[in-house]
Amino acid sequence: MPDNKVPAELPLLDEDYALTPEQIASYQENGHIKLDGVAAPDEIECYEPVIAGYVRQHNHHDKPLRERDTYGKAFIQVGNLWEFSEEAARFVMARRFAKIAAELMGVEAVRIYHDQALFKEPGGGFTPWHQDQLYWPLDSSNTITMWMPLVDVSEEVGSMTFVDGTHKLGYVSRQLISDESHKTIGSYIEGKGLATTSYGALSAGDATFHAGWTIHSAPGNPTESMREVMTVIYYADGTRALNPDSRARENDLKRWLPGVNPGELAVSPLNPVVYQR
């Protein structure tokens, strides 16, 4: 749990970010949206060194890129930074971000599922097609991920590509993120003639939000700069835990919902309410 005091100069990130009815409707129709300037440049300037520092400390990769599998080449992945320090917790628990999540989903309150730093190294590989909620033992479609770059992301690197409307389909494939999921889901997208959206270059502090079932992927990083991204996953308060139907969901239940049994409310010390209307 956090054990550091938060420097007073770190921004609170509690001011409202105004959404339009058209933006909310677009998210609910397509399952994804890009929002400009969710965090201001001076705010990112304060938090980027904090988050990047913890990623460096907790990077588990001990092999060079060329020796890793597709998943390992995709990114450096560090979860629940908010447990490490009050500095990271202030970012992850930000009222501004959580309020956006609640309003896009049209719910009264949201809890944290977990956060993840996803840093794509120079030369890092692509992220295969997948659905996040394949991993989550949550009995609700009201789940959403905020994906925010902490550095400018060029057109060459790009943001994620989303498959429009696929949040309404539920399971498309039960394959975890892998070459196999990329092939299977890619064939499904092509066979169905599904439309895709890529938002291209993003500035630090811009953010995309996507639903748990929305199919998405990300390109590799051909540049010499680290693609630094921080994500926060939210779900509607009142959601119950599912009986895990896979090893991945069993693992997630134990790690991110400790002490919660299937059928019970998805509430543990790791899942605080971060916004309530």
Side-chain angles (χ1 to χ4, degrees):
M1 302 297 287
D3 55 9
N4 297 3
K5 290 188 177 180
V6 183
E9 64 270 18
L10 277 179
L12 285 175
L13 303 171
D14 60 353
E15 301 90 348
D16 287 356
Y17 181 97
L19 292 174
T20 66
E22 291 76 18
Q23 287 173 318
I24 293 170
S26 176
Y27 170 81
Q28 293 182 358
E29 175 63 24
N30 294 309
H32 59 82
I33 194 169
K34 176 200 171 191
L35 300 175
D36 296 332
V38 174
D42 62 319
E43 294 170 334
I44 292 294
E45 185 177 349
C46 291
Y47 281 102
E48 186 276 335
V50 171
I51 294 170
Y54 281 110
V55 171
R56 286 192 296 270
Q57 289 178 34
H58 296 273
N59 175 16
H60 69 276
H61 286 305
D62 56 5
K63 295 180 180 179
L65 271 170
R66 65 180 180 275
E67 295 180 16
R68 303 180 206 161
D69 62 12
T70 298
Y71 189 87
K73 291 175 182 176
F75 35 61
I76 300 170
Q77 184 177 23
V78 182
N80 261 27
L81 292 179
W82 76 264
E83 291 186 88
F84 304 154
S85 80
E86 293 289 351
E87 296 170 311
R90 181 175 286 197
F91 184 92
V92 173
M93 305 294 175
R95 177 185 178 278
R96 183 191 307 161
F97 306 157
K99 183 173 184 284
I100 293 170
E103 291 181 344
L104 288 175
M105 292 190 292
V107 301
E108 295 291 319
V110 292
R111 292 182 178 271
I112 291 283
Y113 184 51
H114 64 83
D115 68 62
Q116 280 186 319
L118 299 174
F119 282 30
K120 196 175 287 283
E121 298 156 277
F126 74 102
T127 306
W129 290 117
H130 66 282
Q131 295 174 291
D132 295 336
Q133 201 150 334
L134 185 72
Y135 293 85
W136 304 343
L138 296 171
D139 190 14
S140 174
S141 58
N142 283 322
T143 61
I144 192 170
T145 297
M146 180 186 77
W147 190 96
M148 179 180 287
L150 306 176
V151 295
D152 291 346
V153 176
S154 67
E155 190 77 32
E156 188 178 9
V157 179
S159 57
M160 293 185 290
T161 297
F162 302 99
V163 185
D164 303 343
T166 49
H167 63 306
K168 302 173 183 178
L169 302 179
Y171 276 116
V172 169
S173 169
R174 293 180 181 264
Q175 293 174 327
L176 302 180
I177 302 175
S178 61
D179 290 327
E180 290 73 23
S181 76
H182 196 68
K183 180 179 179 180
T184 299
I185 296 176
S187 295
Y188 177 85
I189 295 166
E190 183 177 357
K192 295 289 187 180
L194 301 178
T196 63
T197 298
S198 179
Y199 294 108
L202 271 68
S203 298
D206 291 347
T208 62
F209 287 77
H210 67 273
W213 286 119
T214 300
I215 296 172
H216 59 287
S217 67
N221 180 5
T223 74
E224 296 182 359
S225 300
M226 183 79 79
R227 188 214 70 181
E228 300 181 9
V229 168
M230 187 63 183
T231 69
V232 185
I233 304 165
Y234 308 89
Y235 61 92
D237 185 31
T239 296
R240 294 185 179 274
L242 284 173
N243 189 19
D245 54 0
S246 67
R247 180 61 61 86
R249 282 184 163 181
E250 286 180 17
N251 293 338
D252 260 34
L253 184 65
K254 292 175 183 176
R255 174 63 180 97
W256 308 121
L257 297 169
V260 177
N261 295 311
E264 295 178 347
L265 288 172
V267 177
S268 85
L270 297 187
N271 315 111
V273 172
V274 283
Y275 172 77
Q276 185 160 8
R277 187 171 357 214

